[in-house]
Amino acid sequence: MTDSRSVLLTVIGRNFDGIDVAGLAAGNQLELVNLSDYERDLHRVVNEFAELSGHLFVGTGSIAFDSHVAAALGAPVIVVYDRPGDHVQLAVADIECCGAVVAEACDPERLSGAVGPALELALDTAAVISPALFEHRLIVRARNANSHIVLPEGDDDRILDAASQVLAQGIADVTILGNASDVLERARTNGWDLSRAQIIDHLESPWLEEFAGIFAELRKHKGVTLEQARETMKDVSYFATMMVYKGLADGMVSGAVHTTAHTIKPALQIIKTVPEASVVSSIFLMIMQGKRYAFGDSAVNPNPTADQLGEIAVVSARTAAQFGVDPKVALLSYSTGGSGAGPDVEKVIAATQRAKEIAPELAIDGPLQFDAAMEPSVARKKMPDSPVAGQATVMIFPDLDAGNIGYKAVQRTAGALAVGPILQGLKKPVNDLSRGATVPDIVNTIAITAIQAGGSR
């Protein structure tokens, strides 16, 4: 996928005596329109222009809106002013506070000469990420994956709303489990178009008996009878998981009304884990302006063993790499290197060794304190020879307490977009929703699952 390589031109002041500012610049001009809904318009603009290259975007004149668009697109800004003064310096400062780069501040007479160097700056700029741009690229990748996702919780209106958006945007094909007449009536009442969705009442499905037979065979070593398997397959989570197992769907998203255990247990019994993972775990992708990280395990395992923690580190690195994170893995602790001692530190030391044994090609280090993992100046003092310290991108927390607190703290205090939990370690993708998930959360999770499914086929 291409990164944005463009320039945004914003104009402050309007006393140009009829001079066509946009016309003075070389290249293509695309007008950005600032409508009433700021967030909606920002996403619309990013979706429309994110993949264009070498273009000049003529902004709205709203410094805040233009700055956020430029930051989201990774496009340097040319500020055109009608008169010099302090207001120009204030505008430049405001733009930079929004995370954008100002390439030039000039009057109209110098504009033509400013565009060329600014485009060169755009070409030299490292790949820029933002929450809006990440979501855009997520949707594009999901479309290209051509996946089919089953949603077993058709009784929840959030699922139906999200499914209609997924279908409208071409993110994935969907199957919804539920009573067809009820689902379609609720969709019609709320204005959701589910005409292209496959809707299955699993209790009336001809697959029910076939699935029961397969499940009885899979679980016969546990003493499961065919009659017990028939009862089990009446559960929507088991039925949907069996659809994934049989290849009738590429992945499953559940959890809006069911617990994490209710989502994971059928997957463990039917789909099972990949050879290098003895447990299912999770990461959250944490997206901030210009930065992206993976935090794991933040949703599944309360207190993994050292061996499990090492496996989680490796699987998390590979999942993170699927979504554009260059994996440098830090196993976190209250100790950096040998600065502390105790059973908890010993566990992280053993987990780090296990991770290196599984994947010697990965950059992995631990134990590291969070600041030593993240901040180069701290890393230089505490771990100067580490291949990870000061530049870590995949943060592995020692237990669920730390992982869950860590991701929520960053999400709420730093304004990060938290995408997940993304379940990992299964042979086919199954993802869990928070029971408080919003419709955009569900759409993102379906897109994530579609991408995972595309990569596993």
Side-chain angles (χ1 to χ4, degrees), residues 207-225:
W207 293 334
L208 196 62
E209 185 65 17
E210 178 190 353
F211 287 0
I214 295 170
F215 187 72
E217 182 64 24
L218 288 171
R219 303 295 290 172
K220 66 181 180 181
H221 66 289
K222 294 291 186 180
V224 173
T225 66

Side-chain angles (χ1 to χ4, degrees), residues 142 144-149 249-251 449-457:
N144 292 336
N146 295 316
S147 298
H148 184 149
I149 307 302
D250 298 313
T449 310
I451 293 167
Q452 288 179 303
S456 65
R457 289 200 297 272

Side-chain angles (χ1 to χ4, degrees), residues 115-444:
V115 173
L119 278 170
E120 290 180 12
L121 173 63
L123 290 167
D124 291 338
T125 301
V128 174
I129 196 63
S130 70
L133 192 56
F134 179 83
E135 287 184 310
H136 164 79
R137 292 178 177 173
L138 198 66
I139 299 308
V140 171
R141 286 190 62 192
R143 286 178 189 145
N144 292 336
N146 295 316
S147 298
H148 184 149
I149 307 302
V150 59
L151 309 172
E153 299 169 316
D155 290 340
D156 191 293
D157 281 352
R158 292 170 297 168
I159 295 294
L160 303 189
D161 190 355
S164 71
Q165 294 186 34
V166 166
L167 291 168
Q169 297 180 61
I171 295 170
D173 294 328
V174 298
T175 291
I176 300 169
L177 300 190
N179 180 276
S181 59
D182 175 62
V183 167
L184 291 174
E185 176 58 25
R186 282 159 46 220
R188 185 194 63 79
T189 300
N190 289 282
W192 303 322
D193 182 3
L194 296 179
S195 59
R196 291 190 292 114
Q198 180 182 38
I199 304 170
I200 296 175
D201 184 342
H202 73 294
L203 296 177
E204 302 295 329
S205 171
W207 293 334
L208 196 62
E209 185 65 17
E210 178 190 353
F211 287 0
I214 295 170
F215 187 72
E217 182 64 24
L218 288 171
R219 303 295 290 172
K220 66 181 180 181
H221 66 289
K222 294 291 186 180
V224 173
T225 66
L226 180 59
E227 189 55 40
Q228 290 171 329
R230 287 188 181 113
E231 285 301 309
T232 299
M233 281 301 118
K234 292 178 181 178
D235 184 295
V236 290
S237 294
Y238 275 91
F239 188 93
T241 303
M242 190 61 79
M243 285 185 64
V244 177
Y245 177 77
K246 285 287 293 177
L248 298 165
D250 298 313
M252 181 182 87
V253 172
S254 188
V257 294
H258 292 97
T259 64
T260 296
H262 198 97
T263 299
I264 292 177
K265 184 179 177 182
L268 286 172
Q269 293 179 351
I270 298 170
I271 295 173
K272 305 186 185 304
T273 58
V274 295
E276 64 268 25
S278 62
V279 294
V280 175
S281 60
S282 71
I283 62 167
F284 278 85
L285 296 173
M286 308 299 293
I287 313 300
M288 291 168 277
Q289 186 63 46
K291 301 175 183 177
R292 63 184 122 192
Y293 303 100
F295 285 14
D297 177 3
S298 300
V300 179
N301 295 283
N303 190 25
T305 66
D307 280 353
Q308 289 171 340
L309 195 60
E311 292 173 5
I312 290 168
V314 172
V315 175
S316 296
R318 291 173 179 165
T319 304
Q322 280 188 291
F323 297 97
V325 178
D326 179 18
K328 292 180 173 57
V329 185
L331 284 92
L332 300 175
S333 171
Y334 62 79
S335 170
T336 293
S339 67
D344 292 338
V345 177
E346 293 300 319
K347 171 181 161 179
V348 176
I349 292 172
T352 303
Q353 183 59 39
R354 176 62 180 147
K356 289 179 178 179
E357 289 170 359
I358 298 171
E361 75 282 0
L362 288 175
I364 300 172
D365 205 0
L368 292 169
Q369 292 164 288
F370 194 89
D371 58 349
M374 293 281 292
E375 178 53 50
S377 62
V378 177
R380 283 193 293 271
K381 294 177 183 177
K382 293 187 175 184
M383 292 286 279
D385 298 323
S386 170
V388 171
Q391 52 185 327
T393 56
V394 179
M395 310 294 176
I396 304 301
F397 293 84
D399 55 40
L400 187 56
D401 268 346
N404 196 266
I405 291 167
Y407 104 79
K408 287 185 176 178
V410 173
Q411 179 189 32
R412 299 301 179 184
T413 60
L417 171 68
V419 179
I422 302 172
L423 298 187
Q424 53 192 12
L426 291 165
K427 291 180 179 177
K428 293 189 177 184
V430 169
N431 276 311
D432 180 45
L433 297 166
S434 163
R435 277 170 285 176
T438 64
V439 172
D441 291 337
I442 298 169
V443 172
N444 281 345

